[in-house]
Amino acid sequence: HKDLGYDGARDVMFATVDDLDNDNRVTCIYIGRTLDNVTNRTNAFRNGAGLNAEHTWPQSKGAVGAAKADLHHLFSSDCKANSTRGSFPFGTVKNPDWSEGGSVRGTDEKGRIVFQPRKEQRGDTARALLYFYTVYGRVGSTNLENFNVEEPILKQWHTEDPVTATEVARNDAVQAAQGNRNPFVDRPEFVEAIGSFQARR
């Protein structure tokens, strides 16, 4: 795909990919907060009081270079919610220490700190991470520590929160910008057909 660069990718994300109706209103994927008059990364960020780019696959876990700017795993997120998620893996929270807008952070049944997105984002997050693993999972800089924890719940979320028309439209917008698509949005059945993603390495 075409690497837009991190600044370019964020500008496209806020102006187009996450503003599909072109009304300059962008909503946080985690807490549902909506900001008006958003057209680029600068007026979205608002000195840390607005929206930032959420890397579903954290930069600290290998989302570097072209992967850092890949719009298929970048989403608009409230700056505080983005910071709260940090680089923790996604999972099912049993003992919460933070919650807002349907998203929760806390420990799972094994005592690990995990982040659980609100219901309407879980399938999107799952398909974004399965895409990232498929494209970048064999790259030497990619750290699989989170994915080792996440894979089972991602496949569950993929089933529980199916692809929506909005997600397809976002896939179209990303293709228009960087020239490739997330196959798990177009063909959700691929997830079940693959089975264990890591067994395919």
Side-chain angles (χ1 to χ4, degrees), residues 4-149:
L4 301 174
Y6 188 44
D7 288 348
R10 286 183 292 168
D11 282 342
V12 169
M13 181 185 73
F14 287 120
T16 306
V17 170
D18 286 343
D19 182 18
L20 295 170
D21 53 8
N22 200 31
D23 63 357
N24 299 335
R25 302 182 81 233
V26 177
T27 300
C28 166
I29 57 166
Y30 291 143
I31 65 172
R33 175 189 178 202
T34 298
L35 255 63
D36 293 321
N37 303 313
V38 174
T39 58
N40 56 48
R41 67 186 187 279
T42 303
N43 58 33
F45 188 63
R46 300 183 188 179
N47 296 316
L51 300 172
N52 207 345
E54 162 68 334
H55 294 74
T56 52
W57 194 292
Q59 296 179 65
S60 63
K61 303 297 181 185
V64 297
K68 178 180 178 179
D70 192 326
L71 288 163
H72 284 300
H73 88 111
L74 297 181
F75 294 90
S76 300
S77 173
D78 172 82
C79 289
K80 290 182 180 178
N82 183 287
S83 178
T84 299
R85 186 265 160 140
S87 60
F88 295 116
F90 292 102
T92 301
V93 172
K94 297 296 184 183
N95 301 294
D97 61 22
W98 172 91
S99 65
E100 188 172 351
S103 293
V104 186
R105 187 191 67 185
T107 53
D108 65 8
E109 60 185 7
K110 294 186 178 180
R112 299 172 295 206
I113 300 174
V114 295
F115 190 90
Q116 183 174 321
R118 58 186 183 149
K119 288 182 179 180
E120 56 266 47
Q121 179 60 30
R122 291 175 195 168
D124 304 56
T125 294
R127 287 178 282 276
L129 286 168
L130 294 173
Y131 161 88
F132 191 100
Y133 178 81
T134 301
V135 176
Y136 304 106
R138 292 182 176 87
V139 177
S141 60
T142 302
N143 182 322
L144 301 179
E145 181 181 9
N146 279 8
F147 193 76
N148 291 337
V149 173

